[in-house]
Amino acid sequence: MLARLVTRLFWSGITLFGTAILTFVLVNAVPGDVARVIAGSKASPEVIRQVHARYHLDEPLWKRLGHYLAQLGLGDLGYSFVTDQPVTEALLTRLPATAALACVAIVMWMLMAVPLGVLTAKHRGSWLDRSVLVVSTVGISLPSFWLARLLQYWLSYKLGWFPVAGLHSLAHLLLPAATLALLAVGYYARLIHSNMVQVLQCPYVQAARARGASEASVLFKHALRNALIPVVTILGMDVAALLGGVLFVENVFALPGIGTLAVQSVFNLDVPVIMGTVIISALIVVAANLVVDILYRWIDPRIKTAH
């Protein structure tokens, strides 16, 4: 187990290193003078030269990359070109809002998806099964920004049931979280359904029924736990994606999260902040993969003996 963990950590470091290099090259390939953006369109040539010198913008790309990787190796993500705030501080300030949104959204869609997946597997081919299939197809197809705008207009502007934008209380998170939940619940319900159908045909489930176990015990204790193994993988990736910033939903509802910060940094050509958001998102993905491995061993003890 320890050797496997060390190997995973090694390759995780390689992944983060490669992500940093690729992102730095791509960001610096974007047309436009970053110094002009920082100093303003009316800045004099002397001011532009000073900005170039301060942020090493007049140096070759490979040299700037080496300078950045050296800082990154020390855990320093640099300073924002626009606000002069440490990037780490800016990200940590925004992370709680994004994390809160992610947690509420995941709780919402799993509370709906698990019972729907179990029920549709038990009543396969029924009207409920077909309805969830339709909802899943529609949910995957809907653009998140369109659904967010639609819910915001009707439930906030028209009916006044939810706050329109901002983040001042839990109520401000409910509508954006519901947007994400509606997009995901159908997919997760179908995923659980597909795995439950397979698990319900396994011999140990039939044996549990033969021993006189109740139907609820068979479904939720014996079948659901094993049906959740593939779901954990997808959920881990979705958690990482949510914590990396939900760009469109956060911007529609003006939430002060990482997604909003990422969009602002792109418009401002704020390279350190762009790099910081990408690296943090990659780090969250790597961490999510490690957590998924651990959850696998908790959900299915057979995985422990297989290694």
Side-chain angles (χ1 to χ4, degrees):
M1 180 64 183
L2 181 59
R4 179 178 173 81
L5 179 61
V6 171
T7 302
R8 289 297 302 271
L9 289 175
F10 171 76
W11 286 111
S12 298
I14 296 297
T15 301
L16 292 174
F17 183 74
T19 300
I21 293 176
L22 182 61
T23 305
F24 190 90
V25 172
L26 291 176
V27 168
N28 283 275
V30 175
D33 188 357
V34 177
R36 180 68 62 180
V37 176
I38 297 172
S41 58
K42 297 182 180 180
S44 65
E46 179 60 30
V47 172
I48 296 297
R49 281 194 294 270
Q50 291 176 2
V51 173
H52 273 279
R54 178 181 179 185
Y55 295 108
H56 308 283
L57 299 175
D58 52 352
E59 296 179 354
L61 179 61
W62 65 268
K63 195 170 184 178
R64 280 183 285 152
L65 176 59
H67 179 72
Y68 182 80
L69 291 177
Q71 282 187 311
L72 186 62
L74 298 174
D76 183 7
L77 294 175
Y79 290 79
S80 168
F81 286 166
V82 177
T83 64
D84 208 30
Q85 181 185 22
V87 174
T88 303
E89 181 182 316
L91 291 170
L92 291 177
T93 302
R94 302 287 188 121
L95 184 59
T98 297
L101 173 60
C103 290
V104 176
I106 291 166
V107 169
M108 279 187 177
W109 83 52
M110 290 305 292
L111 284 177
M112 292 185 286
V114 169
L116 282 175
V118 173
L119 288 175
T120 54
K122 186 177 187 302
H123 303 286
R124 188 180 181 186
S126 66
W127 65 269
L128 178 61
D129 186 14
R130 292 191 292 271
S131 299
V132 172
L133 177 60
V134 172
V135 171
S136 174
T137 305
V138 173
I140 294 172
S141 306
L142 288 178
S144 58
F145 65 88
W146 179 84
L147 181 60
R149 284 293 188 192
L150 184 68
L151 294 179
Q152 187 183 55
Y153 177 76
W154 283 106
L155 301 183
S156 294
Y157 286 119
K158 286 291 187 180
L159 300 176
W161 291 353
F162 299 95
V164 175
L167 181 58
H168 304 290
S169 66
L170 178 61
H172 289 80
L173 287 174
L174 295 179
L175 196 55
T179 302
L180 297 173
L182 289 174
L183 294 171
V185 63
Y187 173 76
Y188 273 86
R190 293 306 299 178
L191 186 61
I192 294 171
H193 163 91
S194 300
N195 291 294
M196 282 289 293
V197 168
Q198 296 178 7
V199 171
L200 287 173
Q201 298 172 357
C202 292
Y204 64 84
V205 173
Q206 304 301 326
R209 285 197 172 106
R211 290 195 302 268
S214 65
E215 190 63 18
S217 176
V218 169
L219 291 174
F220 290 97
K221 182 179 178 181
H222 297 280
L224 180 60
R225 181 171 179 177
N226 291 283
L228 285 178
I229 294 175
V231 177
V232 169
T233 303
I234 306 299
L235 184 61
M237 294 301 97
D238 282 343
V239 169
L242 290 174
L243 291 178
V246 190
L247 301 180
F248 296 118
V249 174
E250 285 188 4
N251 276 272
V252 167
F253 292 98
L255 297 177
I258 292 178
T260 305
L261 179 64
V263 171
Q264 293 171 350
S265 65
V266 169
F267 280 114
N268 294 327
L269 284 180
D270 196 344
V271 176
V273 178
I274 296 173
M275 291 294 302
T277 54
V278 171
I279 290 171
I280 288 298
S281 298
L283 182 61
I284 292 172
V285 169
V286 167
N289 276 319
L290 292 175
V291 172
V292 165
D293 276 355
I294 295 172
L295 288 178
Y296 268 0
R297 286 161 173 74
W298 176 73
I299 293 174
D300 190 353
R302 293 172 300 178
I303 298 177
K304 297 177 183 177
T305 59
H307 294 84

